[in-house]
Amino acid sequence: MLRCDLTTQLGDFSMQLKFALPSKGVTVIFGPSGSGKSSLLNMIAGFDSPSLTSTIHFNNQIWYAQTANGKVQTNTPIQQRKIAYVTQSPCLFDHLTIKQNLQYAIDRQHQKPINDQKDYFSLAGVSHHLNISLLWEKFPNQLSGGEKQRVAIARAIVSVPQLMLFDEPLNGLDEQHREQILHHLEQLHQHFSVPMLYVTHNMEELMRLADRVLVLQQGSILAQKDIAEVLSDLTLPFSRHHQAGAVIVAQVHASEKNYHLIQLSLGDGGFLWVNSPSEEHFHGKEIRLRIYAKDVSISRQPTVNSSILNILPANIIDIIGLGKGQSIVKLRCYQQTLLARLTNKSIAQLELAKGDQIFAQIKGIAILGAGLQ
Amino acid sequence: MLITNADIIALMLTVKLAAVSTIILLIIGLPLAWWLARTHHRIKSVIEAIIALPLILPPTVIGFYLLLAFAPDKILAQTWLTVFDSSLAFSFSGLVIGSVIYSLPFVVQPMQSSYERIPELTLKTAASLGANYWDRCFSVLLPMTRRATLAAATLAFAHTMGEFGIVLMIGGNIPAETQVVSIALFDHVESMAYDQAHGLALTLLVFSFTILLSINILGGQSKPRFRHASM
């Protein structure tokens, strides 16, 4: 459990945050630039100190404590917080080769990796996973930006931290490198139980990595919710984004191998068919899905003889206008929440209103975390 | 051209003086340069100005004040006498103190700008990987500034080798104790022994050129050096 109660003042910028996060999964810290995301991460890492009354606790350790009279009672040095921090600039050691950079972290490992994860945390293991084995003998100044960032992430992993911090690690990288690293981070999320705080203002990274989200605005917390709730909260900006949609975590119920389809349980006896290129989806496995609002349409009657596989009964919970003739409709579908983006004309013609029973037709579903397999 | 035994003794003494001074300069100069590179204290500019003084003042001015400070009735000389049971004026120790003051800017200034170029974030990242303060100094800071340190040490060594004004004021001309090459050369010229003067002068010229050449080579060799390094 990470518990923070922070007050700080930096020139014109003031910040007041109080939150607690469980010690597992990925928490994305989301907000516009200047909202205090990086400052927050720096204070948790010990790279900066809050200027006013503050406390930071991690599990049963006190990392920072400043009393109301301004006295700093505890300020645990960075090296004793047992964290790994991947910043926007990779900060590799220029005088060491890539292999030596990784070895630097291994020599100072924060804790021993548990037995079944030993391979993942070894020099060879992490180099394989992040595809940097061929760079071992090179020096940082011979690497591209994307390669450097992969090495920085690998070095952070092999230090075996008790908390991982990422500050927009994909900033400034081209699309191909972003996709590669994002895929690695999804894998990391699946393999590795260490809690992560991930700062970003990118919708794609949010949807693919977050278990929960801390939304910051001008130095205070706007919302702290699970990813599914935060995306479907019509009072937050996510539902107005052009990439708006729902993220659902569902269990595999059955499969039709000859059609490469798997059936996922939505709870309450509802099911969803998803095309899956992988055959590794055994019964009970949890799968993370993304359904964009633009891929969901609504009908009053269940369409028959349609090519659309997933036509599910749903309730309209809320409707908000986006302006320019479009609206977002929030739907309850079994135990899940979906968003649908419709034109105002369709809403008028179907006379859609809150509480209506309708049918949601889902045209596109993406399995997240499957990435480049 | 001729080099006598006395000249060789003077040469050896000069090398010894330069070596001892360089070691002390590194011990004092590196932490001082590091502090100057990171501090925002108001006293910083004052310290920087004091360290830079030997660049501007004639060495004889520094020598004159040191001579006054080394006088047996002064606190510095008396403390030295109690601790080491020897006098500072006209002694090798006195020369070392003079040389260190004289060459301090040649170590502190380049090292300070070298340390200022090391990003704070890189050192903090090392800390986040588990390196404590001294570990960071020896595993990151010193290796990253290795070339600058080597250049500064070489420069300090060479600069001490060529020192004349301070030695003239505080050293006197005692063979094997304070008679360094530059003084011996001056002696030869005064006594019209030009052959001996040539011998010493040429030795010093070749030596200085070699040192400057090696600094230039060290300074301009960043990329190839990285390529040659191996695990």
Side-chain angles (χ1 to χ4, degrees), chain B residues 113-114 128 134 140 144 148 166 170 184 186 195 198:
Chain B
S113 61
S114 168
S128 75
W134 291 109
V140 179
M144 273 191 167
I166 295 185
I170 62 174
F186 186 67
D195 270 358
H198 265 306

Side-chain angles (χ1 to χ4, degrees), chain B:
Chain B
M1 207 169 76
L2 191 71
I3 292 187
T4 64
N5 253 350
D7 290 337
I8 289 173
I9 289 170
L11 259 172
M12 300 285 282
L13 181 76
T14 311
V15 170
K16 183 180 157 196
L17 175 66
V20 173
S21 302
T22 304
I23 290 166
I24 294 174
L25 275 166
L26 289 180
I27 293 170
I28 298 173
L30 298 190
L32 190 57
W34 172 247
W35 179 73
L36 285 171
R38 297 288 139 151
T39 188
H40 299 292
H41 202 283
R42 270 176 301 172
I43 204 171
K44 176 180 171 176
S45 329
V46 179
I47 304 279
E48 281 175 331
I50 292 174
I51 289 169
L53 271 180
L55 294 175
I56 298 167
L57 280 180
T60 42
V61 173
I62 302 168
F64 173 66
Y65 283 114
L66 282 176
L67 191 64
L68 293 186
F70 289 173
D73 58 335
K74 293 293 191 308
I75 301 168
L76 177 66
Q78 282 179 353
T79 320
W80 193 271
L81 191 67
T82 349
V83 178
F84 296 103
D85 196 26
S86 71
S87 99
L88 271 175
F90 312 111
S91 73
F92 182 75
S93 310
L95 285 194
V96 170
I97 292 177
S99 306
V100 166
I101 292 171
Y102 181 50
S103 298
L104 198 58
F106 290 84
V107 172
V108 173
Q109 290 189 345
M111 289 320 292
Q112 183 183 341
S113 61
S114 168
Y115 290 147
E116 278 165 356
R117 284 195 298 271
I118 299 284
E120 194 62 33
L121 201 55
T122 303
L123 292 167
K124 284 177 174 169
T125 301
S128 75
L129 293 170
N132 64 28
Y133 184 82
W134 291 109
D135 189 3
R136 295 200 290 279
C137 282
F138 289 104
S139 66
V140 179
L141 190 61
L142 285 179
M144 273 191 167
T145 56
R146 184 172 57 182
R147 222 168 42 234
T149 313
L150 213 56
T154 319
L155 208 56
F157 188 88
H159 192 240
T160 310
M161 288 279 300
E163 182 181 318
F164 180 73
I166 295 185
V167 186
L168 193 69
M169 298 296 271
I170 62 174
N173 196 358
I174 308 162
E177 177 70 25
T178 62
Q179 193 192 52
V180 295
V181 172
S182 54
I183 301 282
L185 177 65
F186 186 67
D187 265 6
H188 291 324
V189 176
E190 286 238 290
S191 56
M192 308 287 274
Y194 276 46
D195 270 358
Q196 281 185 299
H198 265 306
L200 268 186
L202 190 63
T203 312
L204 220 54
L205 183 70
V206 170
F207 180 80
S208 304
F209 176 74
T210 313
I211 290 210
L212 287 177
L213 188 66
S214 54
I215 293 179
N216 282 343
I217 290 172
L218 283 173
Q221 214 193 14
S222 68
K223 292 213 162 163
R225 191 180 65 83
F226 278 130
R227 295 235 172 81
H228 290 307
S230 60
M231 290 297 290

Side-chain angles (χ1 to χ4, degrees), chain A residues 187-202:
Chain A
Q187 303 263 304
L188 182 64
H189 183 190
Q190 289 170 2
H191 284 125
F192 184 23
S193 57
V194 74
M196 300 184 211
L197 295 185
Y198 190 101
V199 161
T200 185
H201 57 257
N202 178 289

Side-chain angles (χ1 to χ4, degrees), chain A residues 47-48 78-79 83 87 89 91 93-95 97 99-100 104-105 108 110 137 139 141-142 155 159, chain B residues 121-122 124-133 135-136 139-140 143-144 223 226-227 229-231:
Chain A
F47 282 28
D48 276 335
I78 301 168
Q79 65 269 20
I83 51 143
T87 52
S89 72
C91 283
F93 303 128
D94 291 337
H95 63 294
T97 61
K99 193 178 177 185
Q100 288 168 330
Y104 190 96
R108 295 165 179 77
H110 293 307
E137 303 306 328
F139 281 91
N141 59 7
Q142 299 170 305
R155 189 179 59 176
S159 74
Chain B
L121 201 55
T122 303
K124 284 177 174 169
T125 301
S128 75
L129 293 170
N132 64 28
Y133 184 82
D135 189 3
R136 295 200 290 279
S139 66
V140 179
M144 273 191 167
K223 292 213 162 163
F226 278 130
R227 295 235 172 81
S230 60
M231 290 297 290

